[in-house]
Amino acid sequence: MRGVALALGGGGVRGYAHLGVLTVLEEAGIPIRGLAGSSAGALAASAYAFGHKDPWKVHEAIFDEEMAKLSRSGGLRALSRLYRALRRPALAEPARVAEGLRALFGDALLEESPIPLALQAADLLTGEGVVLRRGPVWKAVLASMAIPGILPPVAWEGRLLVDGDVAEKVPVQAAKALFPKVVAVDVSNPPPQEAPRTALEAALLAGEASRRRLKELALQKADLVLSLDPPFPIDTFDHEKLPLVYALGKQRAQERLKEIQALSRVRLKDLLQALRPRG
């Protein structure tokens, strides 16, 4: 069967680049046989599968000013917000995001998706990766996007689920379960070039380095890796960069289009293997 599955990674506002990638593949006539997404990738995968392909409309549906302020906070304001966060379950309230996701997806279920969907989340208590294939789309996306400390965990069938990036930033394994040929789209920022200035920064960088290593191991299982490679770091909540990341996603897909087209074709040896009698 022609086509590819895509594993769409997390990255906040950088995740809108996924819709740019998908637009290019659609225009090139490459069949999308499955979509696996983590965090922002879960939003992009679900939005595209259910026909919401305009990044500005998706953004308008879920935009939360309180979360956007996180990219503009600095100095005493940042310390004030951190102090408040330590006294409550999460820094941001989930109501606005949940309301927007409900408006976007309504009562749609993952299992009803025209394109097979798999959304990556993580169990906060055990650290296990949890791949969601059934249930309300809006709630599954909310769970996959629930950045610990920013949004509260989402209760799901006896588990407390948080951001899929905790388990697998680019869900290649989940995509492979949907279709054997996988294009992984990594929208990570480039690694930092400056040494940490504080103990907190050092701790955060250490955690990020660990997640980066796990991501690289996951990407090795993909058939092709498409990296956003932004020209400068783009903050998770810097929504003013949406036009830039969307255009960059289209550009990166165009640059690798011939490779993706070659991967999407039916190879003779695969066809012969599929037709070979079993037993």
Side-chain angles (χ1 to χ4, degrees):
M1 186 182 293
R2 288 183 63 244
V4 294
L6 277 83
L8 307 181
V13 72
R14 298 185 303 277
Y16 287 109
H18 294 312
L19 293 177
V21 170
L22 287 163
T23 295
V24 170
L25 300 194
E26 180 179 302
E27 291 173 351
I30 297 174
I32 307 300
R33 300 299 182 187
L35 289 169
S38 179
S39 197
L43 173 62
S46 302
Y48 183 85
F50 283 92
H52 305 294
K53 302 176 182 180
D54 184 332
W56 285 269
K57 289 185 178 179
V58 176
H59 171 259
E60 183 180 359
I62 69 156
F63 179 71
D64 186 331
E65 179 60 32
E66 281 299 305
M67 293 180 68
K69 286 178 182 177
L70 295 177
S71 68
R72 302 194 292 267
S73 294
L76 292 176
R77 287 183 61 198
L79 290 174
S80 174
R81 294 179 66 81
L82 178 60
Y83 174 74
R84 294 200 304 273
L86 293 174
R87 302 179 63 188
R88 63 187 191 186
L91 188 59
E93 295 294 337
R96 174 67 187 93
V97 178
E99 177 185 318
L101 290 172
R102 279 181 178 272
L104 198 62
F105 297 111
D107 297 324
L109 301 174
L110 291 172
E111 59 267 33
E112 297 172 343
S113 173
I115 302 172
L117 273 177
L119 304 190
Q120 180 76 57
D123 187 311
L124 179 62
L125 301 182
T126 68
E128 293 177 274
V130 179
V131 178
L132 305 176
R133 295 292 313 276
R134 303 181 65 83
V137 177
W138 74 267
K139 189 175 181 181
V141 174
L142 183 64
S144 185
M145 292 173 57
I147 303 172
I150 304 296
L151 287 170
V154 174
W156 187 290
E157 297 181 357
R159 293 179 181 264
L160 285 178
L161 300 185
V162 294
D163 194 295
D165 289 9
V166 172
E168 192 171 359
K169 188 174 183 67
V170 185
V172 176
Q173 187 172 338
K176 282 279 186 183
L178 299 176
F179 194 74
K181 293 182 285 186
V182 171
V183 176
V185 186
D186 178 21
V187 295
S188 302
N189 270 324
Q193 301 299 313
E194 297 181 0
R197 294 166 294 181
T198 66
L200 178 58
E201 283 187 2
L204 292 174
L205 283 177
E208 183 60 32
S210 177
R211 286 189 290 273
R212 191 179 303 114
R213 176 60 179 158
L214 291 173
K215 180 195 71 176
E216 294 302 327
L217 291 173
L219 291 178
Q220 291 176 10
K221 300 176 184 177
D223 297 280
L224 188 149
V225 177
L226 194 65
S227 297
L228 186 63
D229 193 22
F232 50 82
I234 298 172
D235 189 87
T236 299
F237 301 107
D238 189 356
H239 294 277
E240 294 179 0
K241 298 295 191 299
L242 190 160
L244 170 63
V245 297
Y246 179 71
L248 196 55
K250 294 182 72 173
Q251 179 184 333
R252 296 294 183 246
Q254 288 285 1
E255 291 169 352
R256 306 288 299 278
L257 185 57
K258 289 184 179 180
E259 295 172 75
I260 300 172
Q261 288 173 323
L263 178 64
S264 72
R265 298 188 187 107
V266 177
R267 293 175 294 187
L268 180 58
K269 66 176 183 179
D270 293 337
L271 182 60
L272 292 175
Q273 184 175 354
L275 294 175
R276 187 178 302 161
R278 305 293 180 182

